[in-house]
DNA sequence: AGGTTGTAGGGAAAAGCCCGGG
DNA sequence: TCCCGGGCTTTTCCCTACAACC
C-alpha cells in the first residue's frame, strides 16, 4: 500500500499552509519530477525558499516513504485511511521501528537522507532538517518564544505549545459523554457535540441550507458563486473542492484504487466500484432464479 | 436500446489544528 | 495563562447526472 500523501504534506511547514493550494499541487509536480520552487519563478514564488529549495530531498523522501512505509494490518482495497492514532502506528520496514506519527517517520527518514545539519543564523542552534529550521526561525522573526522540541514549530505562548504537544503525545482531555470520542480542544468537543444534537448554526443566506460547521457552509457557498479555486495543473480544469481535484487527477495517473473482490476489476472511484458490484448482485439473482427454475 | 463505465458535481459529516481575543 | 470562538484545512462517504462505449 502506498503511503497517503498526508504523511508528506503534514511535514510542510506553515509557510505553505496559509496558501490556497491543495496538497496535490505540491505532491503532483514532485511526482512528475518538476521543481516546485525556483528563485523568483516558482509556482509558490514569494514564499520562503526553505521548503521548496529542498525539492530533491522531498522527492527522495516521498520515494523512500512510498517504498518503505506500510501500515500494520492494512486492507488492500481501502485507498485512504483515517487519521492515525497512537494505537495505530506506522512501521518503517527498514528498521522495524514504530512511529506514532507520520511526520515523525518522515523526519526519521530524513536522517537517512541528509547529512548536513541546518544551522540557525540567529542562535547557535543546529537542526537536522530545513523545515525544522524554518519553524525555528519564527522564534527570531515573529517573536514566538515557545518551540516544540519534537517538530520545531514555534508558538507565541507556552499554552499554545502545550496544546500543540498533545498532537504528539496523543493526549485528548476533552471526552464526549455520549460516544466517548476524545479531543484535544474543548471547542473541538463542542463542534463534535453538534453531531449529536443535530444543531446546524450556519445557514446559507442564499438558499437557507444549514450546516453544522462554517467550513461546510463555505464549501456549499461555492456552488452559488461558482468559485473553483483548485485547478489541475495538467489540463487546467478547475474544481470547487480539493477532493474533487484529487479525484480528477486519478484520470491522469490512471490510478484505480478500488478493486472488485469478485472479478478483480478496478475503478478510480469508490462509487463506481459500488455501482459495478451491483451488476454482480444482478448476476447472483439471475443465477439463483435459474437454479430455482431448474428445480421445478 | 439498454447495460455498463468513466467522470464530475455536490452534499453531508467529521476531525485536526491554529490564531486572536477576552 | 487559559478558555473560547472562529477559521482553515482535510478526509471519507454518498448520491446523482451525463456522456461514451459496448
Amino acid at each position: 500500500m502506498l503511503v497517503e500523501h498526508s504523511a508528506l504534506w503534514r511535514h510542510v511547514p506553515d509557510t505553505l499552509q496559509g496558501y490556497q493550494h491543495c496538497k496535490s499541487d505540491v505532491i503532483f509536480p514532485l511526482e512528475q519530477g518538476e521543481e516546485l520552487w525556483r528563485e523568483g519563478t516558482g509556482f509558490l514564488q514569494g514564499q520562503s525558499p526553505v521548503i521548496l529549495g529542498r525539492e530533491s530531498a522531498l522527492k527522495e523522501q516521498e520515494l523512500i516513504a512510498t517504498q518503505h512505509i506500510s501500515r500494520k494490518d492494512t486492507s488492500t482495497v481501502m485507498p485512504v485511511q483515517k487519521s492515525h492514532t497512537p494505537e495505530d502506528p506506522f512501521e518503517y520496514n527498514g528498521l522495524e521501528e514504530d512511529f506514532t506519527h507520520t511526520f515523525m517517520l518522515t523526519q526519521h527518514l530524513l536522517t537517512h537522507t541528509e547529512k548536513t545539519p541546518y544551522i540557525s543564523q540567529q542562535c547557535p542552534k543546529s537542526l537536522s532538517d530545513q523545515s525544522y529550521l524554518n519553524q525555528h526561525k519564527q522564534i527570531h522573526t515573529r517573536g514566538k518564544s515557545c518551540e516544540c522540541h519534537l517538530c520545531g514549530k514555534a508558538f507565541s505562548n507556552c499554552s499554545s505549545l502545550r496544546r500543540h504537544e498533545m498532537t504528539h503525545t496523543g493526549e485528548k482531555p476533552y471526552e464526549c459523554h455520549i460516544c466517548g470520542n476524545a479531543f484535544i480542544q474543548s471547542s473541538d468537543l463542542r463542534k463534535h457535540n453538534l453531531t449529536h444534537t443535530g444543531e446546524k448554526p450556519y445557514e446559507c443566506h442564499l438558499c437557507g441550507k444549514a450546516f453544522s460547521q462554517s467550513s461546510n457552509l463555505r464549501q456549499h457557498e461555492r456552488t452559488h458563486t461558482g468559485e473553483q479555486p483548485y485547478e489541475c495543473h495538467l489540463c487546467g480544469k478547475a474544481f470547487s473542492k480539493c477532493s474533487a481535484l484529487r479525484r480528477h487527477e486519478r484520470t491522469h495517473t490512471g490510478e484505480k484504487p478500488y478493486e472488485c473482490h469478485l472479478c478483480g476489476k478496478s475503478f478510480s472511484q469508490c462509487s463506481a466500484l459500488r455501482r459495478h458490484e451491483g451488476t454482480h448482485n444482478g448476476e447472483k439473482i439471475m443465477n439463483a432464479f435459474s437454479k430455482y427454475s431448474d428445480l421445478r
Side-chain angles (χ1 to χ4, degrees):
Chain A
M1 175 184 168
L2 295 181
V3 64
E4 58 264 48
H5 287 145
S6 59
L8 198 59
W9 180 252
R10 283 191 170 285
H11 189 59
V12 176
D14 279 356
T15 42
L16 254 182
Q17 289 178 353
Y19 276 70
Q20 186 80 296
H21 290 289
C22 186
K23 65 184 176 186
S24 55
D25 289 351
V26 177
I27 301 304
F28 204 92
L30 290 177
E31 291 173 339
Q32 303 301 311
E34 293 175 16
E35 287 186 10
L36 290 176
W37 195 274
R38 256 172 254 108
E39 197 69 39
T41 60
F43 94 113
L44 289 173
Q45 179 184 355
Q47 292 307 294
S48 164
V50 167
I51 319 149
L52 299 170
R54 47 190 303 269
E55 72 275 5
S56 60
L58 277 171
K59 272 187 277 192
E60 183 175 7
Q61 184 182 349
E62 183 174 48
L63 179 64
I64 293 168
T66 302
Q67 290 171 340
H68 292 285
I69 296 170
S70 65
R71 280 171 61 90
K72 285 182 173 176
D73 193 25
T74 51
S75 154
T76 54
V77 179
M78 293 305 291
V80 180
Q81 304 295 324
K82 288 223 172 222
S83 57
H84 312 292
T85 67
E87 296 76 42
D88 184 19
F90 283 80
E91 181 182 302
Y92 173 35
N93 291 346
L95 288 178
E96 295 182 2
E97 289 178 17
D98 283 346
F99 296 83
T100 53
H101 294 275
T102 54
F103 91 95
M104 290 178 180
L105 174 52
T106 51
Q107 291 300 326
H108 169 80
L109 289 169
L110 282 176
T111 67
H112 294 292
T113 61
E114 299 185 28
K115 299 172 187 71
T116 311
Y118 294 87
I119 313 288
S120 171
Q121 294 183 346
Q122 287 81 16
C123 70
K125 187 154 188 163
S126 72
L127 300 104
S128 63
D129 175 81
Q130 200 159 9
S131 68
Y132 280 9
L133 177 59
N134 193 41
Q135 302 277 13
H136 169 79
K137 277 178 180 172
Q138 295 192 349
I139 291 171
H140 305 294
T141 61
R142 295 174 61 178
K144 293 186 171 183
S145 55
C146 303
E147 183 180 11
C148 174
H149 68 286
L150 284 170
C151 70
K153 195 161 180 110
F155 297 87
S156 51
N157 65 66
C158 292
S159 65
S160 293
L161 170 61
R162 269 195 293 281
R163 188 176 53 204
H164 163 80
E165 283 175 338
M166 291 181 191
T167 69
H168 299 316
T169 63
E171 185 185 351
K172 293 180 176 179
Y174 298 95
E175 188 176 333
C176 175
H177 299 309
I178 298 171
C179 69
N181 267 7
F183 303 88
I184 288 174
Q185 295 179 226
S186 59
S187 56
D188 288 338
L189 173 58
R190 267 193 301 280
K191 207 190 300 185
H192 165 80
N193 277 336
L194 296 182
T195 70
H196 294 304
T197 63
E199 192 183 347
K200 294 179 176 178
Y202 301 95
E203 191 173 318
C204 175
H205 67 284
L206 287 173
C207 68
K209 213 171 175 66
F211 300 86
S212 63
Q213 292 189 18
S214 60
S215 53
N216 291 334
L217 168 60
R218 244 192 331 283
Q219 175 65 61
H220 162 80
E221 283 173 338
R222 288 186 188 142
T223 69
H224 294 306
T225 63
E227 187 192 1
Q228 294 186 315
Y230 303 100
E231 188 176 325
C232 175
H233 72 285
L234 282 177
C235 68
K237 195 164 169 46
F239 300 86
S240 64
K241 55 183 182 183
C242 180
S243 58
L245 169 59
R246 293 214 333 288
R247 188 175 62 181
H248 162 80
E249 283 175 341
R250 290 203 286 262
T251 69
H252 294 306
T253 64
E255 187 189 358
K256 293 183 175 181
Y258 303 95
E259 185 180 328
C260 175
H261 66 286
L262 287 172
C263 69
K265 194 165 167 43
S266 297
F267 299 86
S268 64
Q269 292 185 17
C270 180
S271 56
L273 166 62
R274 200 160 293 113
R275 185 177 56 188
H276 164 81
E277 286 174 336
T279 69
H280 287 309
N281 291 338
E283 289 169 6
K284 283 179 190 170
I285 291 167
M286 289 303 290
N287 288 340
F289 182 76
S290 61
K291 280 178 185 171
Y292 175 75
S293 301
D294 290 346
L295 287 173
R296 296 192 66 178

